[in-house]
Amino acid sequence: MSNTSLDLAKIRADFPILQRKVNGQPLVYLDNAATSQTPLPVIEAISDYYKNTNANIHRGVHALSQEATEQFEEARKKIQTHFNAKHAHEIILTSGTTHAINLVANGFAAFLKAGDELIVSELEHHANIVPWQMLCERTGAQLNVIPMTEDGTLDMGVYHSLLNEHTKVVFVNHVSNALGIINPIDHIIEKAHAVGAAVLIDGAQAAPHIVPDVQALDVDFYTMSAHKICGPTGIGMLYGKAEWLGKLPPYQGGGEMIDQVTFKKTTYADLPHKFEAGTPNIAGGVGFGAAIDYMRRVGFDAIAAHEHELLQHATEKLNQIDGLRIYGDVAKKVAVISFNVDGIHPYDIGTILDKMGIAVRTGHHCCQPIMDHYQIPGTVRASFAFYNTHDEVERLVAGVEKAVRMLR
Ligand SMILES: *Cc1c(COP(=O)(O)O)cnc(C)c1O
C-alpha cells in the first residue's frame, strides 16, 4: 500500500516503546500531537552525555565543562541550521513552547500601553492565549480574536478588519494541535508587518511535519518544543530576530544571564545568554540536537509523504462510520484527525480504544475555545507520526467501529 521511501521496519526498530504491549495488545500510539516517542539515537545521546561529559557549562576551565559547553552550543547550531535562523544567538533554549511564549509576552509589557491591541486566533492552544491575557491585564491592552469558520479555517476577512495602527502583536499557531489545520502564516505575517505589528508563530505542532524557514517567513518569533519532534521533554526553543531579542527585557534573573552584578546595578549578558538564566537543561539540549539529526536523516519530505497517505487512509475509512464527524477536514492539514460520533461521549471511545492498546487523546486538547465554537465537550484525536503504519490505521478504524457498536 505504501509507495513512500520510508523503511518503516527499520524506523520502528529505533523506537523501543513501539515494541511493547498495552492491555495485552501491541501498542498503537496515536497521541503524537501530545508528545512523540523517542528513538534510540536520542536516548543514547542523553545517556552518553551523562556517562561521559556531565558538567556545568560556560563557566568552567576544566575539560568536562568545556566539552559540555561545546555539545550544548553544537545543539544550538543544529537548531539554527534546521530553522534557517541567521544567527545562532537568535535561538534561545527554553523549557518548551509554553516557556518561550511566556518569555515574549512578559517582555512586551515594556512596550505596551492602554489602547494598544493584540490579535490572537480562536484556534490557539491555551499556551498561546493565557500569557497574552495576563499581559493585557498588566498593560490595559486589548485582545482581539480572529474567529474560525465552520470548517475550522480562520476567517481572514475578519483578520484584515482587525488590523490597524494600534495593533502591536499578532500570535497564531502554524498548525492547530486540535484540528491539524495548517494556517496561512505567510499571509498573516505579511499583513501584520504592513501595520507595524510584530508576529509570534507557535510552531509546536508544525515542527514534527514541516520545516519552517524563519528568514523566508520573515517571522519575528517562532516557538516549538523538542518533545514533539522525537526529542526529550523539558526543552524547546524560542527563535527571535536579533533586533527584537535585543530590545526585549530579560524574563528571569539569575546566574548565566548577567554581565556585571553589583548592588547598585546589574548589566545583562549578550544574546542568547540574556534569556537563559540559571543552569539550563544541558542533557535536554544535547537530546534536542540529536532529535533534529534523527528527523533530518529520516527526511522531512519522506515524512510528509508517508503521513499524508496515513491521513488519507484514516480519513476515508473513518468517514464511512455512520454518525462520525471529523472536525477541520480540509485540504491543508497535517495527519491529525479530531472526531466525534453522534450521541457518544469522546471519553467513552477513548477508554474502549485504550483497552485495545490504541492510544488516542480525548478532551479539549488545551483548546477550549474551539470546543466552545462547535459546542462539544471535546473530541477524540488520533494524531500520526512517520513511524505509524497502515496496519495501525486499520486497527484504529476497527477499534472505533467496535466502540460504536458497544456504546450504541
Ligand atoms: C504542544 C503544544 C503547545 C505546548 O507545548 P509545551 O511543550 O507543553 O510547552 C503549544 N501549542 C501547540 C500548538 C502545541 O501543540
Side-chain angles (χ1 to χ4, degrees):
M1 179 135 194
S2 182
N3 59 10
T4 55
S5 56
L6 294 186
D7 183 347
L8 282 181
K10 184 162 166 280
I11 286 171
R12 289 177 69 85
D14 287 336
F15 292 83
I17 208 168
L18 299 180
Q19 268 58 259
R20 68 162 280 186
K21 290 191 169 175
V22 169
N23 292 321
Q25 303 287 329
L27 168 66
V28 176
Y29 185 76
L30 301 178
D31 194 17
N32 295 287
T35 201
S36 53
Q37 293 304 342
T38 320
L40 285 170
V42 173
I43 297 170
E44 280 157 9
I46 296 166
S47 144
D48 284 350
Y49 169 79
Y50 279 119
K51 281 184 198 156
N52 301 312
T53 316
N54 189 34
N56 211 334
I57 56 172
H58 293 147
R59 289 178 286 264
V61 291
H62 64 84
L64 292 189
S65 173
Q66 286 171 14
E67 278 176 34
T69 305
E70 267 164 35
Q71 289 183 25
F72 191 67
E73 293 307 321
E74 188 62 34
R76 194 190 308 276
K77 290 212 187 75
K78 286 175 187 175
I79 300 163
Q80 177 204 352
T81 304
H82 182 67
F83 291 98
N84 194 32
K86 197 165 173 191
H87 307 288
H89 61 250
E90 293 178 314
I91 304 296
I92 310 299
L93 286 153
T94 64
S95 70
T97 302
T98 303
H99 175 191
I101 297 172
N102 274 280
L103 187 163
V104 177
N106 190 75
F108 264 91
F111 310 136
L112 296 187
K113 54 181 189 315
D116 285 342
E117 296 179 17
L118 310 181
I119 298 181
V120 65
S121 96
E122 198 176 358
L123 281 180
E124 297 312 301
H125 189 286
H126 297 161
N128 203 22
I129 301 174
V130 183
W132 303 102
Q133 281 177 323
M134 291 160 70
L135 174 66
C136 287
E137 272 168 32
R138 275 169 74 188
T139 59
Q142 181 188 319
L143 189 62
N144 295 321
V145 184
I146 313 168
M148 54 191 276
T149 61
E150 199 51 22
D151 69 6
T153 55
L154 291 177
D155 188 330
M156 297 308 282
V158 176
Y159 174 54
H160 298 154
S161 70
L162 289 174
L163 285 166
N164 64 67
E165 73 275 17
H166 302 292
T167 311
K168 297 298 176 218
V169 199
V170 175
F171 30 98
V172 294
N173 57 40
H174 192 167
V175 171
S176 154
N177 63 297
L179 304 180
I181 289 178
I182 304 170
N183 287 313
I185 61 165
D186 310 47
H187 181 80
I188 289 172
I189 294 165
E190 194 187 314
K191 292 285 174 192
H193 284 170
V195 298
V199 181
L200 178 141
I201 299 294
D202 167 3
Q205 205 58 236
H209 314 285
I210 296 170
V211 183
D213 178 331
V214 293
Q215 288 188 77
L217 285 168
D218 193 28
V219 67
D220 302 290
F221 302 98
Y222 195 96
T223 65
M224 52 79 69
S225 301
H227 70 93
K228 294 195 177 167
I229 61 158
C230 298
T233 52
I235 187 91
M237 72 126 198
L238 166 66
Y239 159 79
K241 279 184 190 163
E243 49 182 321
W244 269 116
L245 293 177
K247 278 190 277 188
L248 218 60
Y251 180 44
Q252 292 181 319
E256 194 76 23
M257 55 77 72
I258 51 89
D259 176 25
Q260 293 286 330
V261 177
T262 68
F263 284 105
K264 273 219 180 70
K265 182 166 176 59
T266 290
T267 54
Y268 305 126
D270 290 337
L271 294 174
H273 309 294
K274 172 180 158 190
F275 293 107
E276 293 181 356
T279 301
N281 181 354
I282 307 167
V286 171
F288 189 173
I292 286 186
D293 286 344
Y294 184 84
M295 298 281 292
R296 290 173 72 90
R297 267 202 309 277
V298 175
F300 276 87
D301 288 345
I303 288 173
H306 176 63
E307 289 178 349
H308 186 70
E309 277 192 7
L310 295 174
L311 174 66
Q312 279 189 319
H313 181 186
T315 302
E316 193 187 309
K317 284 285 175 71
L318 287 171
N319 269 332
Q320 287 166 12
I321 297 174
D322 192 34
L324 186 145
R325 171 178 180 190
I326 296 175
Y327 301 94
D329 190 5
V330 297
K332 284 199 159 182
K333 68 179 288 195
V334 301
V336 170
I337 302 181
S338 229
F339 65 91
N340 272 323
V341 181
D342 274 350
I344 302 178
H345 198 282
Y347 181 80
D348 294 334
I349 295 180
T351 305
I352 292 174
L353 290 176
D354 179 57
K355 295 273 183 297
M356 297 184 246
I358 303 168
V360 295
R361 185 150 293 238
T362 64
H364 56 61
H365 319 298
C366 298
C367 297
Q368 282 181 9
I370 299 181
M371 305 304 137
D372 292 347
H373 179 95
Y374 289 120
Q375 296 185 312
I376 51 176
T379 69
V380 182
R381 183 184 71 186
S383 53
F384 298 84
F386 57 94
Y387 42 70
N388 288 124
T389 66
H390 286 281
D391 282 348
E392 291 180 315
V393 171
E394 294 290 340
R395 275 188 60 199
L396 168 71
V397 173
V400 176
E401 282 168 347
K402 184 171 171 194
V404 171
R405 277 198 302 278
M406 289 168 69
L407 294 165
R408 269 220 175 110

